[in-house]
Amino acid sequence: MKKKLVIVLFLSFVMLQFLNCFQLYIQAREMYDNKMGSGDKMSTINNNIYFAKSEHEVNDFKLKCDSNQDILFIVVDGQKTKSLNDFILQIGNQLNFPNNCLDNFAGFCDWLTDLSWIRNEVQVIIHIKNYDSFMSTSQENKKLVIKTLKEYILPYWEGKPGTSSVVDCSLNGSPRHFDIFLSNGLDAK
């Protein structure tokens, strides 16, 4: 009889602890939802890689962006970007990386997930034009760059909690719009 009572008390204690933890989770989730707001732009960021139908289409878009202080539009010319180091150098120079990352792809990715010297409100757009020629010396590195951007860098800046995003990995981290446009030199027919 005592054994059953001990088991019942123990199970009651475990259940009470579970309910307390669940209640704390619900409160934390409500606080997060209230902070982000249902219509807040930060809660709906979906960064992506887009393949433009034509170079002209992206150039028109860039002209609209040039007058906006909250958009940093970076152009990488695939014809001048034959290697991974060419890409790292171009992006590092245009984003004003504090340190050089040549021959250090992991360091390059770290800087792409830092950007602390750029205001959080600034949307980053990277346009890789002449994409067919981009990294022509190594298709393996070309695939690595696109995969890293798509699966690591862009989701990081979306800021979805619990996804190793800027919200989870940075003190006071804020999501950021960060998109990639790919295009070829010739307009699509």
Side-chain angles (χ1 to χ4, degrees):
M1 184 72 158
K2 279 186 172 183
K3 195 174 193 179
K4 286 184 182 179
L5 182 62
V6 169
I7 291 173
V8 168
L9 287 174
F10 175 75
L11 290 176
S12 297
F13 175 76
V14 169
M15 189 60 143
L16 185 61
Q17 292 301 318
F18 171 77
L19 290 174
N20 285 338
C21 288
F22 186 70
Q23 185 178 18
L24 287 173
Y25 167 78
I26 296 297
Q27 288 172 346
R29 187 69 214 178
E30 286 173 356
M31 284 174 49
Y32 173 79
D33 289 343
N34 289 336
K35 179 182 175 190
M36 296 303 280
S38 58
D40 192 313
K41 67 178 183 175
M42 290 184 5
S43 63
T44 59
I45 291 179
N46 290 308
N47 297 326
N48 215 332
I49 296 178
Y50 302 96
F51 199 89
K53 294 177 186 170
S54 70
E55 191 78 28
H56 180 72
E57 180 182 46
V58 181
N59 288 336
D60 286 348
F61 180 66
K62 183 182 183 311
L63 286 173
K64 293 174 186 172
C65 294
D66 283 344
S67 62
N68 189 333
Q69 296 287 327
D70 289 336
I71 297 177
L72 181 57
F73 199 103
I74 295 167
V75 178
V76 174
D77 187 345
Q79 290 181 339
K80 297 176 184 174
T81 311
K82 301 295 184 187
S83 69
L84 182 59
N85 272 337
D86 291 343
F87 179 69
I88 289 171
L89 188 61
Q90 281 196 45
I91 295 295
N93 286 340
Q94 292 186 63
L95 284 175
N96 297 314
F97 282 3
N99 293 319
N100 184 328
C101 299
L102 287 180
D103 297 318
N104 183 359
F105 189 65
F108 170 77
C109 292
D110 283 345
W111 283 123
L112 276 179
T113 57
D114 183 344
L115 302 180
S116 57
W117 58 95
I118 300 172
R119 289 181 301 115
N120 277 339
E121 301 79 30
V122 174
Q123 176 180 356
V124 176
I125 298 173
I126 298 175
H127 172 210
I128 302 174
K129 68 180 191 175
N130 299 311
Y131 180 67
D132 285 345
S133 302
F134 177 65
M135 289 200 196
S136 59
T137 60
S138 175
Q139 291 299 306
E140 229 175 85
N141 282 342
K142 182 177 186 173
K143 289 176 186 174
L144 172 70
V145 165
I146 298 302
K147 182 177 181 170
T148 301
L149 290 169
K150 183 177 184 176
E151 296 178 8
Y152 177 63
I153 304 299
L154 300 182
Y156 175 84
W157 285 112
E158 288 176 353
K160 294 180 176 115
T163 61
S164 297
S165 73
V166 65
V167 172
D168 297 322
C169 299
S170 294
L171 184 63
N172 299 321
S174 295
R176 174 191 302 273
H177 287 279
F178 195 123
D179 292 307
I180 312 292
F181 286 88
L182 309 175
S183 67
N184 286 315
L186 301 174
D187 287 348
K189 303 262 180 194

